[in-house]
Amino acid sequence: MTKPVPRTRIQRKNIALISEAALSVFSTHGFRGSTVDQIAREANLSKPNLLYYFPSKEAIHQHLLSMLMDTWLAPLKALQDDGEPLEEILTYMRRKLQMSRDHPRESRLFANEIVQGAPRIMDMLETELKELVDEKAKVIEAWMAAGKLAPSDPYHLIFSIWSLTQHYADFDAQVHAVLGPGHDDPFPEAETYLTTLFTRLLQP
Amino acid sequence: MTKPVPRTRIQRKNIALISEAALSVFSTHGFRGSTVDQIAREANLSKPNLLYYFPSKEAIHQHLLSMLMDTWLAPLKALQDDGEPLEEILTYMRRKLQMSRDHPRESRLFANEIVQGAPRIMDMLETELKELVDEKAKVIEAWMAAGKLAPSDPYHLIFSIWSLTQHYADFDAQVHAVLGPGHDDPFPEAETYLTTLFTRLLQP
DNA sequence: ATTCCTTTTGACCTTTTGGTCAAAGCCGAG
DNA sequence: CTCGGCTTTGACCAAAAGGTCAAAAGGAAT
């Protein structure tokens, strides 16, 4: 796969450079649409030099995905059984929205991959992700059963949080085209809108 | 662009074949990830034969996008000023959801394009789409001002309908991975869930 | 300063890809 | 049935792309 663990300072630096460049390139062109030359240019390295650190284009992509998966799932992992239900959900939503704002490239990297059928991460979706979602769905279901949240389908609730928050990163081009040039940063409005939405949906 | 208007029966048939094949290929691999050979193979035509009908790969893609744009906008166009507000919105949402179910490839074609920055349809987004959304946003705003819908941001309301409905087509792979193999067709549940969601959000 | 290991690169190879072209095949109107 | 335009294709081309390799350059511990 990737280099085991970076040993030298130079390795750490260059692997970071490559990851950063690859994230930009893969997130805007998808896997097949990106070229090694493009990534190398963006990282200010020669192509053979880049391939000295990663054995192949696929390896870079794989490395990014597994590196970022944890970051990506962190907000859901943080959803606490013992918190105040509505507040927990709203916090989760806000954290996801914040990730869309702060890490739009990561969001688009995953979006590209999944829209195209997730050929390279189906594994992780079916294991790591599914298990986490199953676990948290149970927590939410328990809240609903206890009358602390209005009843609804916990899986679709989670899907709706993903879709609504990631929309602002993944479909950024469309959001900006529709809102027009005068409009900047839709995130504050989005947060207000989504807070209202989930509050009305979930308040018992 | 494309061939003016198909004259012969053979032309009509082959252009239809190519469009169908190209839709499948582009929607699963994105523009840069798709090859002309792939499309030709899928259409059971030789590559030069395909290029007899369309001058280039880009032309096929362009043809598809403009051909499908109308279909794609039809549900929003159908939103009627003089209807019952909440019912109009719910109908719009249901029609969009139905399109995700019946035309997932079209949805993914647009998704691919937009996630990658919409380089080939930014024009249409900034003109056709923006004008339509501006118009309908006014209608919705008027409903809210008249107290027929709970007040909220009409643009974000439209974004949320897009994101929630298209999610089931665009991120199909993820939805299925998370719901697991035992689960089939999430659309009925999705419709119930989304109906509740928008009803609670918008009921005055 | 020497040595040994790490890092970098120019040149090169093969495969894939978008696209061309001339010639052959087909088909329907007269 | 035959002629003229429409359709199809095998062969080909140039550029792009993923990847290799041997040799040069760099760096740090002795």
Side-chain angles (χ1 to χ4, degrees):
Chain A
M1 299 280 131
T2 51
K3 282 253 140 90
V5 172
R7 308 182 177 295
T8 77
R9 195 179 339 133
I10 293 179
Q11 272 178 38
R12 249 190 304 281
K13 189 197 71 181
N14 281 340
I15 288 179
L17 268 178
I18 294 169
S19 300
E20 169 65 22
L23 176 57
S24 280
V25 174
F26 281 136
S27 69
T28 19
H29 301 291
F31 179 75
R32 295 183 59 175
S34 304
T35 73
V36 176
D37 291 270
Q38 229 176 327
I39 299 173
R41 214 177 314 130
E42 187 99 0
N44 282 312
L45 294 176
S46 67
K47 180 165 62 166
N49 198 184
L50 183 151
L51 288 168
Y52 168 73
Y53 291 101
F54 289 91
S56 70
K57 174 179 160 182
E58 180 123 17
I60 308 175
H61 195 250
Q62 215 55 290
H63 169 74
L64 276 185
L65 287 174
S66 49
M67 199 178 88
L68 297 173
M69 187 57 92
D70 287 334
T71 315
W72 216 239
L73 297 186
L76 183 53
K77 282 198 177 121
L79 193 115
Q80 289 295 332
D81 201 349
D82 54 6
E84 204 284 300
L86 181 57
E87 212 43 59
E88 283 292 318
I89 303 266
L90 289 178
T91 299
Y92 173 48
M93 177 276 284
R94 287 195 193 102
R95 293 240 269 154
K96 284 291 286 177
L97 191 60
Q98 200 58 35
M99 304 228 4
S100 276
R101 189 174 35 196
D102 297 344
H103 306 286
R105 292 175 308 170
E106 284 82 343
S107 188
R108 282 194 283 268
L109 180 79
F110 284 112
N112 261 302
E113 182 64 13
I114 293 169
V115 168
Q116 302 189 3
R120 283 167 286 272
I121 50 165
M122 189 44 89
D123 267 12
M124 274 190 273
L125 300 188
E126 283 170 340
T127 57
E128 222 180 315
L129 179 64
K130 178 172 173 23
E131 283 161 29
L132 178 62
V133 172
D134 282 341
E135 178 198 330
K136 298 305 182 180
K138 279 205 193 93
V139 172
I140 295 172
E141 215 152 26
W143 285 336
M144 291 174 177
K148 292 174 176 173
L149 287 181
S152 79
D153 186 312
Y155 286 93
H156 290 269
L157 172 60
I158 290 172
F159 292 155
S160 68
I161 294 173
W162 291 348
S163 101
L164 288 164
T165 55
Q166 290 173 13
H167 188 81
Y168 292 95
D170 301 345
F171 295 83
D172 171 89
Q174 193 180 51
V175 169
H176 277 86
V178 166
L179 292 181
H183 215 99
D184 46 33
D185 197 2
F187 280 93
E189 304 161 4
E191 187 178 324
T192 304
Y193 175 78
L194 295 182
T195 301
T196 306
L197 188 153
F198 284 108
T199 304
R200 297 233 177 116
L201 173 67
L202 294 173
Q203 216 151 38
Chain B
M1 302 277 134
T2 52
K3 282 253 138 93
V5 171
R7 308 185 175 292
T8 77
R9 196 179 337 133
I10 293 178
Q11 272 178 37
R12 249 190 303 280
K13 189 197 69 181
N14 281 340
I15 288 179
L17 268 179
I18 294 169
S19 301
E20 170 65 23
L23 176 58
S24 280
V25 175
F26 281 136
S27 69
T28 21
H29 300 292
F31 179 74
R32 294 183 61 175
S34 303
T35 73
V36 176
D37 291 88
Q38 229 177 326
I39 300 173
R41 213 178 313 130
E42 187 100 0
N44 282 312
L45 295 176
S46 66
K47 180 165 62 166
N49 197 185
L50 183 153
L51 288 168
Y52 169 74
Y53 291 100
F54 289 91
S56 69
K57 176 180 160 182
E58 180 122 18
I60 309 175
H61 194 249
Q62 214 55 289
H63 170 76
L64 275 186
L65 287 174
S66 49
M67 200 178 88
L68 297 174
M69 187 56 93
D70 288 336
T71 316
W72 215 240
L73 298 185
L76 183 52
K77 282 198 177 120
L79 192 113
Q80 289 295 331
D81 201 348
D82 53 6
E84 206 283 300
L86 180 58
E87 212 42 60
E88 283 291 319
I89 303 266
L90 289 178
T91 299
Y92 173 49
M93 177 276 284
R94 287 195 193 101
R95 293 240 270 154
K96 284 291 285 177
L97 191 61
Q98 200 58 37
M99 302 227 4
S100 276
R101 183 161 55 186
D102 298 344
H103 305 286
R105 293 174 308 169
E106 284 82 343
S107 189
R108 282 193 283 267
L109 181 79
F110 284 113
N112 261 302
E113 182 64 14
I114 293 169
V115 168
Q116 302 190 1
R120 281 167 287 273
I121 50 164
M122 189 44 88
D123 268 13
M124 274 189 272
L125 300 188
E126 283 171 340
T127 58
E128 224 181 314
L129 179 65
K130 177 170 171 29
E131 282 160 28
L132 178 62
V133 172
D134 282 341
E135 178 198 330
K136 298 305 182 182
K138 280 206 192 91
V139 172
I140 295 171
E141 215 151 28
W143 285 337
M144 291 173 176
K148 292 173 175 172
L149 287 181
S152 79
D153 186 312
Y155 286 93
H156 289 269
L157 172 60
I158 290 172
F159 292 154
S160 68
I161 295 174
W162 291 348
S163 103
L164 288 165
T165 56
Q166 290 173 11
H167 187 82
Y168 292 95
D170 301 345
F171 295 82
D172 171 88
Q174 193 179 50
V175 168
H176 278 86
V178 167
L179 291 181
H183 213 100
D184 46 33
D185 197 1
F187 281 93
E189 304 162 3
E191 187 176 325
T192 304
Y193 175 77
L194 295 182
T195 300
T196 306
L197 187 154
F198 284 109
T199 303
R200 297 233 177 116
L201 173 66
L202 294 174
Q203 216 152 39

